[in-house]
Amino acid sequence: MSDVPDAQRLFVGGAWVEPDGGHYAVVDPATEETVGWAPEASEAQVLAACAAAREAFEAWSRTPAGERAAVLGRAADLIRGRLPEYADLARAETGATTATARAMQVGVAAARFRRYATVEPAEWAIPPQINEAGPMGRAGVMGALAVRHPVGVVSCITSYNNPWANPAGKVAPALAMGNTVVVKPAPQDPLSVYRMAQALEEAGAPPGVVNVVSGRSTGVGEAAVASADVDMVSFTGSTAVGQRIAEACGRDMKRQLMELGGKGAAVVLADADVGSAVAGIGTTFSFYSGQICTAPTRVLVQRALYDRLVTELAAYAGRLKVGAPAEPGTVVGPVITAEHRARVESYVELGRKEGATVVAGGERPPLERGFYVTPTLLADCTNDMRAAREEIFGPVVSVVPFDDEEEGIALANDSDFGLIDYVWSGDVARAFRVARRLRAGGVGINTVGRNMEAPFGGFKKSGVGRDVGSYALHAYSEVQAIVWPG
C-alpha cells in the first residue's frame, strides 16, 4: 500500500491498482503547491493494461451499439453532475482559469460523451452501394456492402493542456465504435483523467474496456505504443514525439491518429475589420495561456494595416489581467511548469536577438509564485525567424508584414505546420478564395471559433488523420467491403 495519503491508483482491468513505481507530486502551476499524488506505472503494468483491454475487446465490440451508447450517456451525466468538483481539480492541475476549466475542459468533455451517446443510425454503417463489376470482373452487376468494424485496442496518449476535452475526444468515439482503450495521460496533470475513468466505471463500462496508466518515465508511453496487444495509437502532442510514435507504429503497421504541433497563420488583409482580428488573435494570450496548437500565433498583416494592428494588439495584451486562475477577472493564468516557462522566455529572447521588437510583455509579471508569462507581442518579424516558425506554446504572438495577397498566401504556406490557419477580410468571397489556397487542415474566416462536427486534423507536420464529429467514428474504425453476385 502507498504511504502517501489519498494517493491515486492506476486503473487496470477494472481494478484500482497500486503502482509499482510509487507516486509523484502533481504541482499547481499557479501556487507551486502539491495538488495530489499521481501513480508511476511500471512498463509491466502498462502491458497488463493493454492485455486487459485486449481481453475485454471481443465482448465489448459485440455489445449492441445502443448499450455502448448508454454507458457513454451515463458517463456524460456523471461528469456534468460533478462539474464544479472536476473543474476545481482541472484548474489546479493545469492553471486554467475557472471559466476555462468549467466550460472548455470539463464542459466539453461531458458534451463529447453525450455526442457519441446519441449517434445517428446513419453514422454507424456506410450505406450499401451497387457497383458494376468492371473490366476485371464478370459481366453484370455485383452488390457491395461497406461496413465499419472497430480497430481493436487503442492507446490514447493525451496532452497536458486539456486533461478533460482531449481524452474525451479520443475515448468517447473509440468506445462508441466498439474499441477498448488504454489511456496514458500527460504526466503534468493526470488526476483528471482518473476521474474520467471513475465516471466510466460507475456508468457501467465493463472491466478492461477503459484502462488508465500514468508516469513520468518515457517507458510508460513507449510500452503503451509497443505492446503487441495495441492495434492503434491516438496521440496528441508535439511533432517530435509524434514522429517517434509513428516510427514505432510503422514497424507493426499499427493504425495512427496524430494531432501534432501548429503555428497557425492569421492572414489579415487590408480590408479586414481590425477589431475582430485583434479580438481573435488576442485569444492566443488568454486561451490556455497560449498553450494550444490551434492558436493564431503567426500573424501576417497586409502592410496598409500593419501599424494599426500592432498598436491595437499591444494595447489589447496590456489590458489582460494576469494572475491566479481562481480570481475573478483573471484571463491569463500560468503555463504548466517552470521548465516550460523558461522555454517560452527563451523564445522571446531569441526573437530579440533575431531582430524582432518586443512591443508588449517580454517580462515576468510581479507575482511571487506561479509559472507566469506576460502576454508578449513580437513585431518587425520576418517569416524566417525561429520565433515566427517554431511552436512556442505560450502567450507569444509574432507579427510579419506583407504587401499583396499572393505574398500573404505564400508566407502562410511557408511553414512546416498546417493545422489551423485564419483569414480576416471584409470581402467574404475573397476570404474564401484565400482560405482554399492555404495548406492547412482547417481555416477560420473572421473567427477563431470551431465547429465541433467539422473534421479536425492537420497537413504536413501537424498530424495524420481527422477526428471530431462523425469523422472520429471513421478514425477509430476499419472499413470492410462485402461483395456478392447481383
Side-chain angles (χ1 to χ4, degrees):
M1 296 295 290
S2 171
D3 57 0
V4 180
D6 301 320
Q8 177 64 56
R9 290 179 292 176
L10 305 167
F11 189 55
V12 177
W16 295 94
V17 180
E18 289 292 332
D20 290 342
H23 292 84
Y24 65 92
V26 176
V27 175
D28 185 332
T31 65
E32 303 182 45
E33 296 175 354
T34 297
V35 175
W37 296 89
E40 183 80 42
S42 65
E43 293 180 29
Q45 287 179 310
V46 178
L47 296 178
C50 298
R54 170 60 60 198
E55 184 176 354
F57 170 68
E58 183 68 22
W60 180 248
S61 65
R62 292 182 178 275
T63 298
E67 294 181 24
R68 297 198 301 262
V71 171
L72 300 181
R74 291 191 292 270
D77 291 340
L78 288 166
I79 293 168
R80 177 64 65 184
R82 298 167 183 168
L83 191 149
E85 170 195 345
Y86 288 166
D88 284 347
L89 176 60
R91 184 191 66 214
E93 283 194 288
T94 66
T97 64
T98 298
T100 296
R102 288 190 172 213
M104 302 307 298
Q105 295 189 341
V106 182
V108 169
R112 285 181 165 171
F113 278 104
R114 174 58 58 194
R115 190 265 182 251
Y116 294 104
T118 55
V119 172
E120 294 295 326
E123 292 180 307
W124 288 105
I126 299 171
Q129 304 171 62
I130 302 297
N131 303 300
E132 293 186 5
M136 299 302 292
R138 68 175 180 81
V141 177
M142 298 189 74
L145 175 66
V147 295
R148 287 206 206 100
H149 290 266
V151 179
V153 176
V154 182
S155 279
C156 302
I157 303 176
T158 65
S159 59
Y160 71 74
N161 60 342
N162 196 325
W164 278 97
N166 185 262
K170 299 177 184 298
V171 171
L175 295 185
M177 279 305 305
N179 301 282
T180 56
V181 299
V182 177
V183 186
K184 190 276 175 188
Q188 298 92 335
D189 49 11
L191 301 178
S192 289
V193 182
Y194 285 104
R195 300 297 188 276
M196 185 182 298
Q198 182 182 26
L200 283 161
E201 179 190 31
E202 291 180 33
V209 169
V210 178
N211 306 270
V212 183
V213 290
S214 59
R216 294 171 296 180
S217 167
T218 57
V220 174
E222 289 170 353
V225 171
S227 168
D229 289 310
V230 169
D231 301 291
M232 175 180 174
V233 177
S234 177
F235 172 70
T236 299
S238 73
T239 295
V241 174
Q243 288 171 322
R244 294 198 293 273
I245 291 174
E247 289 172 1
C249 288
R251 287 192 287 271
D252 294 316
M253 298 304 293
K254 293 179 181 180
R255 302 301 183 256
Q256 305 165 43
L257 180 61
M258 298 279 181
E259 198 268 281
L260 307 177
K263 190 71 174 180
V267 181
V268 184
L269 298 165
D271 58 357
D273 180 328
V274 174
S276 172
V278 167
I281 295 163
T283 62
T284 301
F285 302 130
S286 56
F287 196 48
Y288 300 131
S289 302
Q291 298 168 111
I292 183 165
C293 52
T294 59
T297 53
R298 188 169 54 110
V299 181
L300 311 174
V301 190
Q302 200 158 8
R303 206 171 292 275
L305 281 187
Y306 179 80
D307 290 339
R308 181 182 170 191
L309 188 83
V310 168
T311 298
E312 293 194 20
L313 261 179
Y316 183 97
R319 291 193 297 269
L320 300 177
K321 179 182 177 181
V322 181
E327 289 185 4
T330 294
V331 291
V332 183
V335 296
I336 192 69
T337 61
E339 293 78 12
H340 188 58
R341 175 180 60 186
R343 179 180 183 275
V344 173
E345 291 174 335
S346 73
Y347 269 103
V348 176
E349 183 58 30
L350 176 62
R352 284 193 176 102
K353 292 178 179 177
E354 290 178 316
T357 302
V358 179
V359 294
E363 74 289 329
R364 291 186 187 179
L367 298 168
E368 291 184 3
R369 306 185 76 179
F371 313 129
Y372 293 95
V373 176
T374 301
T376 300
L377 184 65
L378 303 178
D380 303 321
C381 295
T382 58
N383 208 47
D384 59 352
M385 293 179 176
R386 286 181 59 194
R389 297 191 69 83
E390 298 178 12
E391 186 175 38
I392 299 174
F393 222 59
V396 181
V397 171
S398 303
V399 188
V400 178
F402 68 88
D403 289 311
D404 57 32
E405 184 178 305
E406 288 298 319
E407 183 187 9
I409 293 169
L411 288 172
N413 289 334
D414 181 16
S415 173
D416 291 335
F417 300 107
L419 187 57
I420 304 290
D421 285 348
Y422 305 87
V423 180
W424 268 273
S425 172
D427 183 338
V428 175
R430 183 189 190 194
F432 269 89
R433 182 178 70 242
V434 172
R436 291 289 299 273
R437 295 183 59 191
L438 298 180
R439 298 286 296 165
V443 182
I445 292 178
N446 296 327
T447 183
V448 292
R450 290 222 357 240
N451 181 322
M452 301 306 285
E453 290 297 310
F456 180 72
F459 288 15
K460 297 182 279 189
K461 292 184 179 180
S462 284
V464 177
R466 297 292 183 271
D467 67 356
V468 182
S470 299
Y471 296 89
L473 298 174
H474 285 281
Y476 293 99
S477 64
E478 294 275 25
V479 177
Q480 178 187 59
I482 302 174
V483 180
W484 66 94

